[in-house]
Amino acid sequence: QVQLVESGGGLVQAGGSLRLSCAASGRTISNSGMGWFRQAPGKERVFVAAISWGGGATRYADSVKGRFTISRDNAKNTVHLQMNSLKPEDTAVYYCAARLDRVYSTRGYDYDAWGQGTQVTVSS
């Protein structure tokens, strides 16, 4: 069973940047597709970005394309989400997720393990 811990969230002004990290323990995630999801207050959790096991394939939600970049360091068992040009509508709790399959997925139910989330707040 893998445990995921997110970090790097915080309060930032619109136009600013944050870099989220997801540290995995318990097993390697080098063979896992990984994803980031977010949940804004009163809304459902939605897909943000995902990356395949080797990092060769990535996918982004239209709302973050061109502003966010997902990456991974399998040697360090970590995944990152670089968020630039942040907007107030990016405010949410951000969750890291891992799946047993090597291929990424945009669907939350395809993931087997979730972190506890990290709060990102973007002020206008």
Side-chain angles (χ1 to χ4, degrees), residues 31-89:
N31 293 319
S32 295
M34 299 293 294
W36 285 96
F37 293 76
R38 68 187 181 188
Q39 186 168 19
K43 296 187 177 181
E44 294 185 349
R45 188 161 55 187
V46 298
F47 169 75
V48 175
I51 189 167
S52 62
W53 68 283
T58 58
R59 180 78 177 270
Y60 298 92
D62 288 343
S63 59
V64 307
K65 203 172 294 183
R67 299 187 298 122
F68 290 12
T69 302
I70 188 171
S71 63
R72 65 189 301 158
D73 185 338
N74 286 339
K76 295 183 178 180
N77 231 26
T78 58
V79 177
H80 303 284
L81 185 68
Q82 178 66 43
M83 306 186 297
N84 299 328
S85 302
L86 283 162
K87 305 175 181 180
E89 50 264 44

